[in-house]
Amino acid sequence: GDSVTQMEGPVTLSEEAFLTINCTYTATGYPSLFWYVQYPGEGLQLLLKATKADDKGSNKGFEATYRKETTSFHLEKGSVQVSDSAVYFCALSVNNAGNMLTFGGGTRLMVKP
Amino acid sequence: GAVVSQHPSWVICKSGTSVKIECRSLDFQATTMFWYRQFPKQSLMLMATSNEGSKATYEQGVEKDKFLINHASLTLSTLTVTSAHPEDSSFYICSAFGQKDGYTFGSGTRLTVV
């Protein structure tokens, strides 16, 4: 079956540090890949996505590249801010046509001033 | 962008009572809606998938008689937790899929059963 594995947290960084959150996947078909962010007590917000190999999704300084050869979709940001503190979820959907999203376990990021 | 309204955002109920959670797509028609449950510091667990006008498809281990899902229109799905018990306390999140914007999530409902 489909699965998503992401690095366990919490990840604790100082403000302006470089962020990487690793995400790898296995899928029976050709998936679309997503990163979602969840702030405390809230639902999920789409951060970025990529639908085919070598696509780079980017938003708010975050970016991730769809690497089919390594089945990865690592999230990066060059300089984190305290306001980036949240839980980040990597997810995939095969066909991206209303099929279910398969989520990774989530990675909590804490950014200290 | 697409907006999904989920309410209530939190609810406290007594054991044995039922609670209904609504999920509405405000500016788009949702061909499919999903209901998730999230335990503290854990990932989202898919409970069921619902399509308008048809019965929901429940994931293995989810009691369909306990978690009643109704998807009466292309903009509204409801989850009713029947005869709630403390172990049903959790954070419930809905998601709606639209052709233009893909998956959009509600803001979640925190259910506490006392």
Side-chain angles (χ1 to χ4, degrees), chain B residues 55-69:
Chain B
K55 290 184 178 180
T57 302
Y58 290 81
E59 295 300 301
Q60 193 171 12
V62 178
E63 300 176 60
K64 59 182 179 182
D65 293 332
K66 180 163 188 64
F67 299 99
L68 299 178
I69 291 172

Side-chain angles (χ1 to χ4, degrees), chain A residues 14-77:
Chain A
S14 297
E15 206 165 22
E16 299 184 1
F18 184 87
L19 168 71
T20 299
I21 301 178
N22 290 337
C23 170
T24 57
Y25 67 89
T26 58
T28 52
Y30 197 157
S32 293
L33 303 174
F34 307 82
W35 276 101
Y36 286 89
V37 58
Q38 184 179 35
Y39 297 100
E42 298 184 13
L44 272 65
Q45 300 174 26
L46 178 65
L47 184 59
L48 53 84
K49 69 178 182 181
T51 57
K52 61 183 188 295
D54 299 325
D55 269 1
K56 177 185 285 189
S58 61
N59 185 26
K60 299 179 182 179
F62 291 89
E63 57 182 35
T65 301
Y66 190 144
R67 300 289 189 198
K68 189 178 180 184
E69 64 275 15
T70 54
T71 62
S72 65
F73 193 54
H74 305 321
L75 182 68
E76 296 181 337
K77 186 175 185 182

